[in-house]
Amino acid sequence: MSVKVIEINDSNIKVGDKAGLVFQSPGFSLVTNDKVEVGEFAESQCRIQPTNSFSKYWYELNLEPISHSPKVRHHADLAYAQLMDIAEEGDIDGDVIFSVPGSFTQQQLAILLGLARQTKFSPVGLVNSALVESIHLAHKEYVVHTDIQLHQVVVTLLASDETFFRVENIIQIPGVGTQNFMNLMMQVATDSFISQCRFNPQYDANTEQDLYNEIQGWLSKHEEGKTVQLGIKSGDTTYTSKLPWNNLTGVIDRYYQKITKQIDVLKPSVTCHLLLNERLTRLPGFLRFISSSKDYEVISGDQGIQACIDYKNLICSEDEGTILVDKIAKSKLGIKSLNARSGGEQSEEASHLLFG
């Protein structure tokens, strides 16, 4: 069965198949007079046209009326517009597995499936993102999966018992998403421009967007501990500001403390394995808050998509109903329970998990 995967995380919605990543799009939309733009273009206009820009429609996916936009009835309309764009750009017209965050409610999942069925592709599977991204660690007793969205962080505890590898608990941490970090870093940078250049880049919408883009570019290639240098052009003048690393991290550290505190709350034991999404680890200075003694790894690229492809037979529904998969029988992963081991004695923990 040929199938594509749509990984729903509004920081960067990804589409992929067995060949790899096909398309990606951030969860932004821009409502203009004649149409709804989504993705990178919408993000590039979010500070220029703030009253026409939306970024919470996946975070708050619902059917509640939006009073300040006559062209859009509710957040579900915006999500549908992005699904249609994804279908076109990702060349999707067949079966699709949705990988979804544990923060989605049953109502939001129902809305997502309802929207998907109005497109030209068919949802055949629905799986918890944390579960499928952690599936190679199903032999571990506990795994804590941590991911960041536009407006929150989601921490998921996964547990392995005699029978299942399953989602045990989920904690949402609002107010520490990528957009919250961007807002904070933009304010720190603005203060730096004002003090060093007597120039306020947020005074004008265009230079505010330029500052947003500049910080985005810096985040993608920054070096830990290095002074941040930003340049903004206004008219015929280019303003340059240097921001010491400690000045930046000293401000955003409180966000990191909120995240790591909840990780520690959810973590049942010191032997728990920690799985971090690369979006989180790219934030400046975050890994300083992860103890070197902690057993952790980083999920990157299309790793989650490939896991969906590899385990599609365990995710896809056999009938017409699409049910969220938040646990998988260990026997189907080729992992024997303690009781099935010869002599009833516990053997040494395996170092590798083989599949196929």
Side-chain angles (χ1 to χ4, degrees), residues 17 25-26 45 50 58 70 86 96 126 137 166 176-177 238 241 254 258 288 313 336:
D17 55 24
S25 178
Q45 299 291 307
W58 289 109
I86 286 171
V96 165
L126 192 64
L137 299 171
R166 68 185 188 281
V176 290
T238 298
S241 170
R254 68 177 187 269
K258 289 181 66 174
R288 292 182 297 114
N313 293 335
K336 294 182 179 180

Side-chain angles (χ1 to χ4, degrees), residues 92-105:
I92 308 173
D93 58 5
D95 293 341
V96 165
I97 293 173
F98 277 107
S99 176
V100 296
S103 55
F104 267 21
T105 65

Side-chain angles (χ1 to χ4, degrees), residues 9-13 25-28 43 148-151 178 279:
N9 181 311
D10 55 11
S11 284
N12 191 26
I13 300 170
S25 178
F28 287 83
E43 185 177 11
I148 190 168
Q149 302 172 5
L150 285 180
H151 302 285
T178 56
R279 286 180 288 264

